[in-house]
Amino acid sequence: MTTGPLPASDRVDQIVFAWSDRLLAGGRGLGPVATSLDADGLRVWNERLAGGDVAVGQWLSGLAECAALGALRFGRRGEHGAALRLVPARDPNGRPSQLVHALVGPASVVNAALVLGLHRWPGWSTPERLDGTPSDLEPLDATALRTHARAGLDEPAAPRDALAGLLAGVLAAPCDSYLADISPDDVGLAAGLVRRLDGVAGTTPLTMLLGAQVTRPELRPRLLAVGLPDARNGRTPLTTAGGAEPGAARVAGLLADLPPGSLTRPRAPLTTAAALADWVEAEHQRATGVLELVDRAIAGKLDERARHYLNGPDAQEQLRAHLRNAGMEWLTERLLRWTEANPHGLTEAARTLRQVAAARYLAEAGKDREAAEQLLQAARRMGLTAPEAGRVLANWYAGLPEATSADRYSAVYFAVDAGIDPASDDTFARLLPGMKAADLLGWSRVLAPSEHVSAALHFLRTAHRQWSRGDRRGDEDVRALMRETEMFHETIHEIVSRCGLRPEDENELYRNVLHLAYGHPVTDLAPVLGALPADAEATQFRPWAALAEVLAGDRAHVFQLVAQARRRKAPAPVLEDMLGVMSSADLVRGLAEQSGQPSLLGAVGQVLRKRAATPAEQRAIREAALAERFLAGLVEEAWPDEPGTRFDAYSYLLKAVYQAGDRADGGGLTRAEVDELVRDGGTGPFLLAVVAHAARDAVVPALLHAAHRHAADLGLPSETVEFALRGPHRAAEARTAARTPAEPARGALPQPQGAPQGQPVGGGPARAASAFPEQSIPPQHFAFDPPAPRRDHFPSDSERELPGDGRHPVVAWITGRTVQEWAIAVLGLGVAVLLGLWLFGGSDEAPPPRRVAPTVTVTVSPSASPTSTSPAAGAESPAAEGGTPAGGGRSPQPTTGKTP
């Protein structure tokens, strides 16, 4: 075999072997595809490593896949070293293969300790990164690699008893080759063995392979960890259980307790079990004096030479080894006394003491939690910092074979108490996803009132992230917590107020706990309502608002929730916000489904009136309202004996749905809208509300529709009805056809300035105010305010002036009317009479009067037609406006006298 020159001690080269059709050494197959070596160096190492086939991963023999590690030596004296990492791969035909990344250099640098320390090195090549790897690689700095390797060989990653078992087998046969009964990824155990006995036990260097076997017998490694049947041939088995005689087990335990850095290597390798035992005993005796130095430092009796040693790296290794098995009470006492004495010049020793105490808490909190917590508090008093605690936590977690619920509890308590930020700590990122949602919320509840409120927020959000990635079902344990804490209100309030969150963030937190407890969508509302806070006003109904957003897709549940909130005296803005999660059409449909519950009509109307609906949305609202007959069933059932209240309710709905302006300002319901509304008839208050809000050109058609409906209810023959209404029909049609109607102005109905709610403007009497039961709707929403009076054509006596021909003004006005205007006035008066009979004589609130043959005498004062611009037209019908017209002149009133 070619020896080659010894490379520089400060340089480590690398070669990547993979399957390729264009290898750097020529040909195709498994071979070098990237390297930092020159052509001659690549040729030498390619021959030594057989083109990457010098070691074969165990998966190629049918065993489990893994990342195999190896350290081999080459040359006559073993002066060349190669560190290997093998991972599974596929060739172009899809057959199992491997990718091998080799680090090559002097054996003093490239050895078993280096490759074990680099087991998590990010520079290793992988199949996924191979395509982006250039063929010309850079050489590596040996010093930087050794520094990274030392950090990766942290001792707490090796369980003490398992390590003692492996050491016992080597101490009993120091010159043999070994087959370790460990998993290829038990890097901590392999590293603990190599660091203590490489160069000490036997004259042959401790080469090794974990998860792979060599293909060249002359390269037989001394330490092998692989599951192949023929691997045990000629090898001494090493087990974590030990199995050696008691004396060897005791010596192995002493060696496991000694830090590798504190050991003094013998001048020559030891080849007998007795020589190894004597060496271990001597090292143990030398190391035990470090605890005495700690007591002398606390007592202030340490000389300068001893102080320098106790603060040095060798003493730190010894401290870690001996304090690992010291009693927790003894260690707690030493930490407290050290804090009081505060010996100077021993910063490294103090750091070691508190870090060992933190590690002991994590390792033994499950056995004696009270003693462990006292030890942790002592470490905090000594100045344990969050970065130090983070490193201790990471090392402890890396050495766990499996994290139990008790381990997770200890880790969370330790991290929070030590001030580790859970949102940025990598170990926390691996710990929290394994915890149950109820446990995470329990921690959030405990931490919210403390100084760790940010951790409480992180725990809550972590629980919801886990839920969103799962089946999105509810959790019974979380439901129990919701009932106990009244929807987690106090915790959320603490988090929001102390973390400076916005109201929308608060709603999100409520939604999170609702999802965790009841899943999504919520199918049974009863338990959710039972978990809501008893004092709703104290919470400002925040949980109700968040629950409404969760229930947004189920209008029945939303209305049920809003009804409960109203019973608990929720203010109108809260009810409107809760209802605002639904579409406008669903608001109308949902309200129609609330049989006997008219109290939400006001809130629904307010939501509808505040929304700026698009034409498509407006059509959807109207279609929903028409389909539900403008909630006639709800309104009529709610106020059967209060026609005025029913009129107010219908008026409120019409204004909310159509958003028509006042006809005094050119607005109101159009002729088409009136036809649409009265097509299927309606109750008296509803038809009267339609008349009240109809535009000028639609008033007479609305009255005619109402008269048709009333005549049909009275059972009159259709011929009679057509005969009675033929004139008004034609007059209305003729007058409408003669005009070019403009589109009515849309907008909210204006309130007269300065007028009290429910009172007409001017000197007319006020209509009797009506109110809905439970008074959920502000009274001003239902009072129909007639338009402000306009100046009429009848001036007062002081304002009258005689016309130029000397006639009286009244005579001049009467003679100036056309025949068509007098006809329309008479017909309008007839319609008013019919409407009066319908409203006051044939209503459904009283039985019909006994049939008599009345004689009716009508006295009519001169007036303009209903569709003219006369005072009567400007003030409109009293039945439509709910009172006497405002202004100076009074509309002509019919007087009737009945004789039997």
Side-chain angles (χ1 to χ4, degrees):
M1 180 181 295
T2 304
T3 301
L6 187 65
S9 61
D10 61 347
R11 168 175 171 154
V12 175
D13 285 290
Q14 48 183 334
I15 314 171
V16 177
F17 298 93
W19 189 278
S20 175
D21 291 330
R22 301 178 64 182
L23 299 175
L24 296 180
R28 62 188 301 269
L30 180 63
V33 296
T35 185
S36 62
L37 292 165
D38 57 20
D40 292 337
L42 177 61
R43 178 180 52 78
V44 171
W45 277 106
N46 188 45
E47 180 184 347
R48 287 171 175 171
L49 301 177
D53 199 32
V54 67
V56 179
Q58 64 179 22
W59 55 88
L60 294 176
S61 299
L63 298 183
E65 293 185 350
C66 64
L69 297 175
L72 302 176
R73 291 203 175 192
F74 302 88
R76 293 187 181 93
R77 297 181 302 275
E79 66 273 21
H80 301 281
L84 308 176
R85 184 176 185 267
L86 299 80
V87 293
R90 296 276 176 178
D91 66 12
N93 296 319
R95 292 172 298 193
S97 181
Q98 62 185 20
L99 183 146
V100 182
H101 193 168
L103 304 181
V104 297
S108 59
V109 176
V110 184
N111 51 29
L114 180 75
V115 72
L116 290 171
L118 296 178
H119 67 285
R120 291 184 180 175
W121 182 48
W124 292 117
S125 180
T126 63
E128 295 77 16
R129 296 165 52 187
L130 186 60
D131 290 340
T133 302
S135 60
D136 295 329
L137 300 177
E138 293 293 332
L140 303 171
D141 180 68
T143 302
L145 280 181
R146 280 197 298 263
T147 302
H148 192 99
R150 277 196 295 269
L153 290 174
D154 213 330
E155 201 55 32
R160 184 259 184 194
D161 292 339
L163 176 59
L166 296 180
L167 292 174
V170 178
L171 292 173
C175 296
D176 289 0
S177 296
Y178 313 102
L179 176 67
D181 185 18
I182 60 176
S183 172
D185 59 1
D186 285 335
V187 176
L189 288 173
L193 176 62
V194 169
R195 294 183 72 193
R196 284 170 175 82
L197 294 178
D198 186 19
V200 175
T203 57
T204 306
L206 199 55
T207 54
M208 50 151 268
L209 273 176
L210 306 181
Q213 179 64 289
V214 292
T215 58
R216 293 184 173 182
E218 69 272 16
L219 295 176
R220 174 183 176 88
R222 284 194 66 195
L223 178 63
L224 189 64
V226 71
L228 298 175
D230 60 346
R232 64 178 58 93
N233 296 337
R235 293 182 178 275
T236 297
L238 301 181
T239 66
T240 56
E245 55 91 15
R250 174 185 168 278
V251 173
L254 294 178
L255 182 57
D257 291 336
L258 292 173
S262 68
L263 296 174
T264 303
R265 304 280 168 173
R267 287 182 234 174
L270 305 176
T271 57
T272 65
L276 279 172
D278 291 342
W279 172 73
V280 172
E281 290 283 0
E283 289 298 306
H284 181 262
Q285 289 295 329
R286 187 177 61 82
T288 51
V290 71
L291 298 182
E292 181 184 353
L293 293 179
V294 171
D295 288 336
R296 288 170 57 189
I298 294 174
K301 300 178 180 180
L302 206 62
D303 59 27
E304 193 59 34
R305 182 177 179 182
R307 187 185 310 279
H308 179 76
Y309 174 76
L310 183 57
N311 207 47
D314 291 342
Q316 308 318 307
E317 292 287 345
Q318 295 174 27
L319 274 175
R320 291 189 181 93
H322 291 286
L323 294 177
R324 189 176 297 119
N325 297 317
M328 284 194 293
E329 293 181 1
W330 181 92
L331 182 55
T332 301
E333 180 189 3
R334 294 302 186 278
L335 264 63
L336 294 176
R337 289 171 55 194
W338 186 289
T339 303
E340 294 176 0
N342 192 21
H344 70 280
L346 294 171
T347 55
E348 293 300 322
R351 182 182 293 109
T352 298
L353 284 170
R354 58 181 180 253
Q355 288 182 358
V356 170
R360 289 289 301 277
Y361 167 82
L362 290 169
E364 303 186 34
K367 302 173 185 176
D368 189 345
R369 183 166 299 281
E370 182 178 355
E373 289 181 2
Q374 292 176 357
L375 181 59
L376 180 59
Q377 294 307 316
R380 289 196 64 194
R381 289 176 192 167
M382 277 194 70
L384 181 69
T385 64
E388 291 173 352
R391 287 191 292 271
V392 171
L393 180 65
N395 293 333
W396 166 82
Y397 183 74
L400 287 178
E402 181 181 359
T404 65
S405 58
D407 292 332
R408 297 180 190 280
Y409 180 88
S410 299
V412 170
Y413 183 86
F414 170 81
V416 170
D417 200 51
I420 298 175
D421 182 10
S424 60
D425 187 76
D426 293 338
T427 307
F428 250 107
R430 298 191 297 271
L431 273 171
L432 296 189
M435 298 179 67
K436 296 181 179 179
D439 293 337
L440 289 170
L441 291 184
W443 275 108
S444 182
R445 181 186 181 188
V446 170
L447 297 174
S450 72
E451 59 189 280
H452 309 296
V453 64
S454 60
L457 175 62
H458 180 74
F459 278 43
L460 196 157
R461 287 177 169 168
T462 299
H464 188 261
R465 280 196 298 270
Q466 291 181 200
W467 170 87
S468 63
R469 299 189 189 106
D471 55 14
R472 303 170 73 86
R473 296 181 181 176
D475 187 314
E476 177 56 40
D477 293 337
V478 180
R479 287 196 287 273
L481 186 62
M482 292 301 99
R483 292 189 293 270
E484 178 187 348
T485 60
E486 294 187 331
M487 204 62 74
F488 222 55
H489 170 68
E490 290 296 331
T491 300
I492 292 177
H493 177 70
E494 288 280 355
I495 292 174
V496 170
S497 59
R498 300 181 60 196
C499 292
L501 300 184
R502 301 167 300 174
E504 50 265 35
D505 298 322
E506 183 177 24
N507 281 345
E508 179 188 2
L509 295 182
Y510 278 117
R511 291 196 301 272
N512 289 351
V513 297
L514 285 167
H515 286 152
L516 290 168
Y518 304 102
H520 185 75
V522 175
T523 55
D524 186 5
L525 189 58
V528 190
L529 296 179
L532 287 169
D535 191 350
E537 295 186 31
T539 69
Q540 298 181 343
F541 291 88
R542 299 266 172 75
W544 275 261
L547 181 54
E549 293 185 19
V550 172
L551 302 173
D554 190 329
R555 66 170 179 262
H557 279 172
V558 173
F559 270 96
Q560 185 178 349
L561 176 67
V562 175
Q564 190 205 61
R566 187 187 176 282
R567 286 193 295 271
R568 295 200 184 191
K569 301 180 181 179
V574 171
L575 298 179
E576 293 167 16
D577 288 342
M578 294 170 67
L579 290 168
V581 303
M582 292 186 293
S583 67
S584 300
D586 271 345
L587 284 174
V588 176
R589 297 188 189 100
L591 191 58
E593 295 165 358
Q594 304 301 304
S595 177
Q597 299 258 359
S599 56
L600 300 179
L601 178 61
V604 170
Q606 281 293 87
V607 175
L608 293 177
R609 295 180 69 177
K610 290 179 180 178
R611 286 182 175 173
T614 64
E617 292 170 341
Q618 191 67 31
R619 284 194 299 272
I621 301 171
R622 290 166 57 179
E623 290 172 0
L626 291 168
E628 302 298 341
R629 301 180 63 83
F630 267 80
L631 309 180
L634 177 69
V635 174
E636 298 296 326
E637 179 184 355
W639 302 290
D641 300 324
E642 302 176 48
T645 303
R646 300 203 304 273
F647 169 83
D648 289 342
Y650 290 129
S651 295
Y652 192 72
L653 277 172
L654 288 170
K655 287 189 286 186
V657 172
Y658 286 91
Q659 298 183 351
D662 195 296
R663 65 166 163 256
D665 299 323
L669 300 172
T670 66
R671 175 75 176 270
E673 290 170 345
V674 168
D675 291 341
E676 183 178 57
L677 287 166
V678 301
R679 182 177 298 121
D680 296 326
T683 64
F686 173 73
L687 294 176
L688 184 58
V690 173
V691 173
H693 299 290
R696 293 180 181 178
D697 291 338
V699 171
V700 172
L703 289 171
L704 293 176
H705 278 295
H708 264 291
R709 182 68 179 176
H710 184 61
D713 290 342
L714 293 176
L716 294 175
S718 59
E719 295 82 1
T720 303
V721 176
E722 291 299 327
F723 175 77
L725 299 178
R726 67 190 185 282
H729 263 306
R730 294 170 183 169
E733 291 171 357
R735 187 168 184 82
T736 302
R739 294 181 178 179
T740 303
E743 181 66 22
R746 295 290 181 180
L749 288 175
Q751 295 291 338
Q753 298 294 326
Q757 296 293 336
Q759 296 292 334
V761 179
R767 179 171 55 85
S770 59
F772 295 152
E774 303 180 9
Q775 198 58 36
S776 68
I777 305 172
Q780 63 269 27
H781 293 165
F782 295 95
F784 176 71
D785 299 320
R790 292 174 296 176
R791 186 179 181 124
D792 56 29
H793 295 286
F794 291 94
S796 63
D797 290 339
S798 61
E799 296 172 336
R800 290 177 183 170
E801 296 181 5
L802 294 178
D805 55 1
R807 291 179 298 165
H808 192 276
V810 175
V811 176
W813 185 87
I814 292 175
T815 57
R817 301 302 97 194
T818 64
V819 176
Q820 183 182 12
E821 289 176 338
W822 279 111
I824 292 175
V826 173
L827 290 174
L829 183 59
V831 171
V833 172
L834 284 175
L835 185 60
L837 290 173
W838 170 47
L839 291 176
F840 303 106
S843 68
D844 53 359
E845 282 78 8
R850 183 167 49 87
R851 289 183 175 271
V852 295
T855 301
V856 181
T857 304
V858 180
T859 304
V860 183
S861 300
S863 66
S865 66
T867 58
S868 68
T869 57
S870 67
E876 301 180 6
S877 169
E881 296 297 342
T884 305
R890 298 176 56 88
S891 300
Q893 301 292 323
T895 59
T896 61
K898 298 184 179 180
T899 57

